Amino acid sequence: MHRRQKPSAPEHKRDPAAHGGALSMSHNDTRSFFNFSQLVLSAGQLKSPPVLKHSKITYFEVEILDVQSKKQICIVDKVPPSSTLLDVKHKFHKACPQWYPSRVGLQLERNGPYLKDSINIQSLAVSSIITLYFTDLGQQVGWTTFFLTEYTGPLLIYLLFYIRLSTIYDQVESMKNFRHPVVHLACFCHCLHYIRHLLETLFVHKLSEGHTPLKNMIKGCAFYWGFTSWIAYYINHPRYTPPSFGHRQVSFAALAFLMCEAGNHFINVTLAHQNHSGLKACFPSPTYNPFTWLFLLVSCPNYTYEVGSWISFTVMTQTLPVGIFAFLMVIQLSLWAQKKHKLYLKRFYPEVRRKAAMIPIIF
């Protein structure tokens, strides 16, 4: 005879589905489940996006450290999230007047690139405190000042040699020797070249509001001013000998020079107005102006015309200093053209892929 055993209470609790699973949970079980669910949710909660996180921050604090010693220079506090890096530089300048904004270089990492002034400070933040590294970029000059100084020097220096100052040439020898017409023509062409550069700097080119180190301007002035002195000394010398093929050589070279100068100007005007239509940025296309048709062959036609001007000037004057200067300009402009060509390939690949950088036919 078998004795029927009554199921114990623990067994009944362990098998709540024995009677159809319709039994309700006790108050303790409900509370335990609630605590467990809260624990799971708090442990597995995803991090909020940076934008939402930053939006709760009223102000940022920017800690500026020296890039070499890692020592703290100052802390710029109460920086609104809408501020740019240029605003931070101005506040940094108030705290440290010896460093004005244009000579302040700020980096997010010690070996990283310099941050642009237009970058929003909120995009750099992972918390309310932002750490940046400071580098003194040295004395800076604006781009307009840079080009005006670089181009004004050759214009004035050449005219000083053209009038044949007594401190440069022998006055008696200067009065005796007759000046060949190419000397006057060379002065006109040289002045025209740099006057065009000065006017385009003021009225055509859209120069950025950035700055460049003063030492770069000194190097550029030394190059242009030094070569101008050497060129002008030989061309305006009382013993200067005219070109071998006479007026024909001078006439054809002068005509080529003027055409290159006109082409350079029209290309610069086209580049300055290429985005005025309001449409998506695209590579400049030739217009009805024949001087812009060079866009069909090269991506930097302004450099092509610049090289053409100096080669024509070399043929017209037939002097060694001009030839050396033209050769150096070809090297420098070709390097700049290759660099620009690579940027154009990234932005306008289908339109630029069959073009040369500066010299036509060489692809």
Side-chain angles (χ1 to χ4, degrees):
M1 182 168 137
H2 298 282
R3 182 181 296 179
R4 186 176 179 182
Q5 296 180 357
K6 187 183 289 186
S8 62
E11 291 177 351
H12 181 72
K13 286 183 179 179
R14 286 195 300 268
D15 191 10
H19 298 282
L23 297 177
S24 60
M25 285 187 276
S26 64
H27 177 72
N28 292 334
D29 292 337
T30 304
R31 186 172 181 180
S32 299
F33 179 78
F34 177 77
N35 292 336
F36 178 74
S37 63
Q38 291 298 317
L39 178 63
V40 172
L41 290 174
S42 62
Q45 186 177 8
L46 296 176
K47 293 183 179 179
S48 59
V51 176
L52 296 178
K53 184 178 180 181
H54 294 163
S55 62
K56 299 178 182 179
I57 300 176
T58 307
Y59 294 104
F60 290 103
E61 288 187 358
V62 181
E63 181 187 26
I64 299 180
L65 308 179
D66 183 78
V67 71
Q68 299 294 336
S69 62
K70 294 185 181 181
K71 292 182 179 180
Q72 185 186 93
I73 299 177
C74 74
I75 294 180
V76 181
D77 57 354
K78 293 185 178 181
V79 179
S82 59
S83 299
T84 62
L85 199 68
L86 183 60
D87 299 327
V88 175
K89 288 184 177 181
H90 281 290
K91 291 188 176 183
F92 177 63
H93 173 57
K94 291 181 180 179
C96 305
Q98 67 270 28
W99 293 309
Y100 50 88
S102 62
R103 70 182 295 169
V104 174
L106 296 178
Q107 303 161 274
L108 200 58
E109 299 176 356
R110 293 185 68 190
N111 297 324
Y114 293 114
L115 300 172
K116 295 183 179 180
D117 291 345
S118 59
I119 194 170
N120 190 279
I121 199 67
Q122 188 174 2
S123 63
L124 304 175
V126 293
S127 66
S128 60
I129 300 178
I130 305 172
T131 301
L132 298 177
Y133 293 94
F134 161 76
T135 301
D136 184 9
L137 300 178
Q139 193 170 355
Q140 305 285 302
V141 293
W143 283 110
T144 302
T145 304
F146 177 89
F147 288 115
L148 290 180
T149 305
E150 193 175 64
Y151 296 143
T152 302
L155 179 64
L156 299 178
I157 290 173
Y158 196 97
L159 291 176
L160 291 177
F161 282 90
Y162 176 73
I163 62 178
R164 290 184 175 178
L165 296 176
S166 58
T167 55
I168 301 175
Y169 304 111
D170 182 74
Q171 199 67 19
V172 177
E173 190 175 13
S174 300
M175 295 296 295
K176 289 182 179 179
N177 292 338
F178 170 76
R179 291 198 187 192
H180 194 273
V182 71
V183 175
H184 305 291
L185 183 60
C187 180
F188 170 78
C189 292
H190 191 275
C191 293
L192 176 66
H193 178 78
Y194 284 102
I195 289 174
R196 178 184 63 80
H197 273 303
L198 291 172
L199 294 178
E200 288 178 351
T201 300
L202 293 174
F203 304 109
V204 177
H205 294 305
K206 296 179 179 179
L207 300 175
S208 65
E209 297 180 357
H211 297 77
T212 185
L214 178 63
K215 61 182 180 181
N216 290 346
M217 188 180 75
I218 295 175
K219 289 191 293 185
C221 290
F223 177 77
Y224 280 98
W225 295 15
F227 262 102
T228 299
S229 302
W230 192 22
I231 290 170
Y233 176 81
Y234 272 83
I235 296 177
N236 296 286
H237 199 279
R239 297 182 182 180
Y240 168 76
T241 54
S244 303
F245 296 96
H247 293 289
R248 180 176 297 181
Q249 178 179 343
V250 173
S251 300
F252 279 110
L255 181 61
F257 178 89
L258 295 176
M259 290 180 64
C260 289
E261 287 295 305
N264 203 337
H265 171 71
F266 288 121
I267 292 296
N268 288 332
V269 171
T270 303
L271 292 173
H273 296 84
Q274 60 176 324
N275 293 327
H276 280 192
S277 60
L279 302 176
K280 184 179 179 181
C282 59
F283 187 76
S285 57
T287 63
Y288 63 89
N289 189 338
F291 289 103
T292 63
W293 294 352
L294 199 56
F295 274 120
L296 296 171
L297 300 175
V298 296
S299 58
C300 302
N302 52 330
Y303 292 161
T304 308
Y305 282 124
E306 183 77 11
V307 167
S309 294
W310 285 111
I311 293 177
S312 302
F313 195 77
T314 303
V315 176
M316 181 177 63
T317 58
Q318 196 173 309
T319 54
L320 179 63
V322 183
I324 296 176
F325 181 76
F327 176 73
L328 295 177
M329 289 297 291
V330 170
I331 296 176
Q332 181 63 74
L333 293 177
S334 63
L335 294 176
W336 289 345
Q338 288 292 336
K339 186 176 180 179
K340 279 192 174 183
H341 188 68
K342 290 180 180 179
L343 295 177
Y344 288 150
L345 285 174
K346 294 180 180 178
R347 296 181 60 191
F348 319 111
Y349 175 73
E351 303 170 79
V352 184
R353 65 188 181 93
R354 293 186 178 274
K355 302 179 189 296
M358 185 180 73
I359 303 176
I361 302 175
I362 300 179
F363 293 89

